[in-house]
RNA sequence: GUCCCGUUCGUCUAGCCAGGUUAGGACACCGGGUUUUCAUCCCGGCAACAGGGGUUCGAAUCCCCUACGGGACGCCA
């Protein structure tokens, strides 16, 4: 490793779904490390999954990271000397390297059908073996392979040594050794011609001059594939640093099912970006002097990646709130707090969107804020009796859950879409909309009567909405009218039958 | 199931690499004070080295085993 090589780090999110806290977390340390060493930090969009990637989601990543105060030196929006920074625009490059791998005999085309592979996997699982490709297409001659490729769909797989082990160095953990027998003949090019993550990330990190790959712990077990690809392609591998994963309170990997995970949730619920970043900076890390209030700049100045601790930190909203409070009263001047509050939701734009919903219900100004309150708070208070209303006690939890799943499918978050989702639930459940709605009014606003719900939800946004639904479901659970594990499973099956499969 | 990674108060962590500390700080919680209430603020308290073996005069710290937790095992990233 050449010590004088410039430090270049990257964050490589895939533009699917809402911008995730984990992305900001990884970005933070990548950025701090690059700054500390006078290097560059790059944003690369990993949009190789054509089904799930969207331009809206890509834009959301830009917006969310910028809101959080994460700035990149090179990226799809600002360019740079190593572009393009969107993987979908680099297909020729991947194709070239894939062909090189095939020619050298390090990779091969595979014509197996998904059906065959599913069967194979199922039988291996049944025999308690590690699911692995069986090498069916490995023996095809180059000629036959090339010939069939003209008329048949295929994927390209990388070859993996049949025995021995792979040892690589993780900067925090030391040497990590994994047997090659544990590694599958990974698909590196999909039927649609797009590369998979494993290939694309290696090719891009090489051509983009990435010196340190700082990413989540979830990647440790596929690092041997990456190391091998660097070897096959004749390139030096970067340094690897695997950071611990943010956790839910139950210690599982942070997930939106159990926590707010969208960066926008924190923006919309009224947190300060500098407090959020500060908080993320203390997950698994402490500054050498142990101060607890610090900016991104201060973190970068003294940053020492070796100080990262490896136990997975639990994301604790209570402590984040405490920290946010300290920012409000210690780091900002009162005038600044007013300005920030206005910029948040107390501005003509946002209030102007609420007004049409409230106007007919107003007699004096005093009526406005009580009506709008649920759109300006993180969570409303409600009591369970009001929530359940006239429904059977076992109904609310199910209906809320169904709504949560249905809402996840929404491509747009506007009045019309929301309206049709609830219409559909009403029809499918054979409950008149009129009887269905009070439940949601209470869950969303705390009261059975409120501003028009669909417009309200549209203003609230998907992230705050989801958390409110979940809070209501949880409270029902605590009172004994929730969904048991069994009940949830049954509901999910039933849901799939009547509404179609869930998406994530 | 297989493999990999991890494990200090309920939570975030310092200390570990260069063995000797009354194992420190913060959140939460409990108690007291300031405050016309509440909050803030101040003071105090509770509370941890997962277990077992080694090495050593001495282990949270080094080594091994066990347990527990997490992750990976996709034509997702």
């Amino acid at each position: 490793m050449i010590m004088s090589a410039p430090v270049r780090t990257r964050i490589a999110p895939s533009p699917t779904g809402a911008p995730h806290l984990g992305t900001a977390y990884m970005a933070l340390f990548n950025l701090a490390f690059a700054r500390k060493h006078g290097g560059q930090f790059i944003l690369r969009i990993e949009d190789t999954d054509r089904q799930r990637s969207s331009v809206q989601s890509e834009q959301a990543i830009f917006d969310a990271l910028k809101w959080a105060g994460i700035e990149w030196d090179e990226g799809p929006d600002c360019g740079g000397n190593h572009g393009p920074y969107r993987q979908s625009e680099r297909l020729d490059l991947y194709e070239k390297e894939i062909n090189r791998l095939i020619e050298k005999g390090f990779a091969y085309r595979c014509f197996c059908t998904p059906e065959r592979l599913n069967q194979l996997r199922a039988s291996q699982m049944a025999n308690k073996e590690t699911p692995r490709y069986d090498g069916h297409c490995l023996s095809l001659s180059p000629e036959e392979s090339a010939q069939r490729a003209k008329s048949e769909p295929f994927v390209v797989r990388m070859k993996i040594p049949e025995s021995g082990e792979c040892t690589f160095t993780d900067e925090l953990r030391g040497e990590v050794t994994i047997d090659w027998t544990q590694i599958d003949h990974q698909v590196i090019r999909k039927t649609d011609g797009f590369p998979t993550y494993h290939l694309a990330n290696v090719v891009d990190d090489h051509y983009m001059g990435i010196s340190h790959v700082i990413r989540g712990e979830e990647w440790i077990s596929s690092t041997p594939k990456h190391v091998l690809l660097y070897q096959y392609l004749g390139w030096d591998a970067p340094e690897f640093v695997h950071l611990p994963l943010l956790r839910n309170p139950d210690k599982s990997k942070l997930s939106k099912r159990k926590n707010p995970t969208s960066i926008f949730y924190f923006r919309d619920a009224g947190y300060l970006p500098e407090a959020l970043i500060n908080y993320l900076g203390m997950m698994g890390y402490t500054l050498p002097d142990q101060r607890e209030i610090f900016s991104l700049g201060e973190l970068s100045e003294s940053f020492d990646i070796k100080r990262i601790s490896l136990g997975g930190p639990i994301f604790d909203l209570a402590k984040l709130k405490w920290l946010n409070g300290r920012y409000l009263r210690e780091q900002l001047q009162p005038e600044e707090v007013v300005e920030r509050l206005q910029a948040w939701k107390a501005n003509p734009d946002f209030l102007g969107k609420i007004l049409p919903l409230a106007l007919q219900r107003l007699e004096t100004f005093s009526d406005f804020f009580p009506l709008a309150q649920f759109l300006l708070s993180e969570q409303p208070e409600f009591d369970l009796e009001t929530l359940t209303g006239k429904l059977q006690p076992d109904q609310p939890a199910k209906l809320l859950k169904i709504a949560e799943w249905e809402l996840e499918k929404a491509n747009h978050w506007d009045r019309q879409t929301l309206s049709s989702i609830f219409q559909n639930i009403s029809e499918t459940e054979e409950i008149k909309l009129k009887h269905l709605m009070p439940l949601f009014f209470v869950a969303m606003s705390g009261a059975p009567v409120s501003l028009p719900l669909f417009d309200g939800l549209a203003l609230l946004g998907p992230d705050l909405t989801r958390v409110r639904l979940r809070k209501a479901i949880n409270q029902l659970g605590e009172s004994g009218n929730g969904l048991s594990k069994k009940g949830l499973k049954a509901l999910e099956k039933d849901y799939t039958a009547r509404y179609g499969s869930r998406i994530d």
Side-chain angles (χ1 to χ4, degrees), chain A residues 76-204:
Chain A
D77 58 330
C78 60
N81 296 327
H82 303 261
Y85 294 91
R86 228 177 246 113
Q87 292 187 326
S88 59
E89 295 168 11
R90 301 168 66 82
L91 297 178
D92 290 348
L93 187 56
Y94 307 130
E95 197 63 15
K96 187 184 95 186
E97 301 301 347
I98 289 166
N99 286 334
R100 256 179 76 203
L101 289 170
I102 294 176
E103 280 162 27
K104 287 180 168 176
F106 293 138
Y108 59 97
R109 294 185 193 86
C110 168
F111 300 89
C112 295
T113 60
E115 293 73 40
R116 191 183 102 76
L117 295 171
N118 286 340
Q119 268 179 16
L120 177 68
R121 195 170 302 132
S123 75
Q124 285 170 329
M125 295 281 250
N127 292 331
K128 299 188 173 179
E129 294 165 26
T130 303
R132 248 195 111 178
Y133 182 62
D134 62 356
H136 185 77
C137 294
L138 192 51
S139 55
L140 260 38
S141 71
E143 296 73 29
E144 184 184 357
S145 170
Q147 189 56 37
R148 285 178 66 178
K150 288 176 188 166
S151 57
E152 288 178 51
F154 65 91
V155 300
V156 176
R157 292 176 182 274
M158 65 183 287
K159 283 188 192 169
I160 303 289
E162 283 170 27
S163 61
E165 53 195 24
C166 174
T167 297
F168 62 91
T169 301
D170 177 283
E171 294 298 299
L172 296 176
R173 297 156 214 268
E175 288 193 345
V176 176
T177 300
I178 296 173
D179 275 18
W180 285 121
T181 52
Q182 291 298 319
I183 314 288
D184 202 1
H185 282 205
Q186 181 66 47
V187 171
I188 57 175
R189 180 193 191 272
K190 307 180 234 182
T191 307
D192 66 5
F194 275 54
T196 58
Y197 169 85
H198 303 285
L199 188 277
N201 110 84
V202 164
V203 170
D204 288 343

Side-chain angles (χ1 to χ4, degrees), chain A residues 362-409:
Chain A
L362 296 186
E363 292 183 314
T364 65
F365 292 145
S366 321
D367 298 330
F368 181 79
F369 286 102
L371 281 169
Q373 200 245 22
F374 79 103
L375 296 171
L376 299 166
S377 63
E378 181 168 4
Q379 285 189 359
E381 295 298 325
F382 54 80
D383 64 71
L384 285 167
E385 218 168 292
T386 321
L387 185 73
T388 304
K390 291 177 183 167
L391 295 166
Q392 295 299 312
D394 65 327
Q395 281 293 299
K398 288 184 183 174
L399 292 169
L400 290 162
K401 200 73 199 172
I402 288 170
E404 186 186 335
W405 289 335
E406 279 297 276
L407 255 12
E408 264 168 44
K409 295 178 179 170

Side-chain angles (χ1 to χ4, degrees), chain A residues 274-295:
Chain A
E274 50 270 57
L276 179 63
I277 285 298
N278 189 154
Y279 182 66
L280 288 176
M282 56 207 278
M283 300 268 81
Y285 188 76
T286 36
L287 270 66
D289 64 4
Q290 291 205 62
R291 86 188 92 149
E292 49 196 3
I293 300 276
F294 53 84
S295 66

Side-chain angles (χ1 to χ4, degrees), chain A residues 18-60:
Chain A
H20 200 274
L21 256 190
T23 304
Y25 182 56
M26 292 302 154
L28 178 62
F29 290 116
N30 272 279
L31 175 56
F33 185 78
R35 290 280 177 273
K36 168 69 183 180
H37 297 283
Q40 290 95 43
F41 169 63
I42 288 104
L43 172 67
R44 180 172 76 223
I45 296 292
E46 308 235 331
D47 56 349
T48 53
D49 184 336
R50 282 159 112 178
Q51 271 75 46
R52 298 199 306 152
S53 297
S54 74
V55 289
Q56 295 95 316
S57 180
E58 179 185 297
Q59 187 59 45

Side-chain angles (χ1 to χ4, degrees), chain A residues 293-470:
Chain A
I293 300 276
F294 53 84
S295 66
L296 181 46
E298 291 173 297
L299 175 71
S300 304
E301 265 172 48
S302 62
F303 191 65
D304 174 7
I305 202 158
K306 299 272 188 199
R307 290 186 62 82
I308 288 177
S309 52
L310 298 177
I314 292 170
F315 190 85
D316 179 19
L317 274 171
K319 191 159 183 178
L320 170 60
K321 283 193 186 186
W322 161 79
L323 191 67
N324 201 72
R326 281 193 67 177
Y327 267 81
L328 249 17
R329 67 185 97 87
E330 291 174 21
Q331 303 300 114
L332 297 178
Q333 297 301 313
E335 316 79 79
E336 292 177 306
V337 176
V338 173
E339 282 169 24
R340 303 282 294 262
L341 183 60
Q342 288 179 323
W344 177 59
K345 284 182 180 174
N347 56 65
D349 182 51
F350 193 74
L351 296 181
K353 285 178 183 160
I354 302 175
L355 186 71
L357 313 179
L359 193 54
Q360 279 144 320
R361 296 168 169 82
L362 296 186
E363 292 183 314
T364 65
F365 292 145
S366 321
D367 298 330
F368 181 79
F369 286 102
L371 281 169
Q373 200 245 22
F374 79 103
L375 296 171
L376 299 166
S377 63
E378 181 168 4
Q379 285 189 359
E381 295 298 325
F382 54 80
D383 64 71
L384 285 167
E385 218 168 292
T386 321
L387 185 73
T388 304
K390 291 177 183 167
L391 295 166
Q392 295 299 312
D394 65 327
Q395 281 293 299
K398 288 184 183 174
L399 292 169
L400 290 162
K401 200 73 199 172
I402 288 170
E404 186 186 335
W405 289 335
E406 279 297 276
L407 255 12
E408 264 168 44
K409 295 178 179 170
N411 294 323
H412 302 280
W413 196 262
D414 53 39
R415 204 208 110 82
Q416 190 50 49
T417 310
L418 295 165
S419 169
S420 55
I421 285 173
F422 281 93
Q423 286 287 354
N424 181 39
I425 294 176
S426 160
E427 283 165 26
T428 311
E429 299 301 321
E430 297 178 346
I431 300 175
K432 280 188 179 168
L433 196 60
K434 186 178 173 178
H435 299 302
L436 183 67
M437 295 315 282
L439 169 66
F440 292 96
F441 272 102
V442 176
M444 291 302 127
S445 71
V449 268
S450 159
L451 300 181
L453 187 67
F454 306 139
D455 301 274
L457 294 184
L459 289 176
L460 214 46
D463 303 309
L464 286 174
T465 299
R466 160 190 279 281
V467 168
R468 285 176 196 203
L469 286 172
R470 209 177 45 221

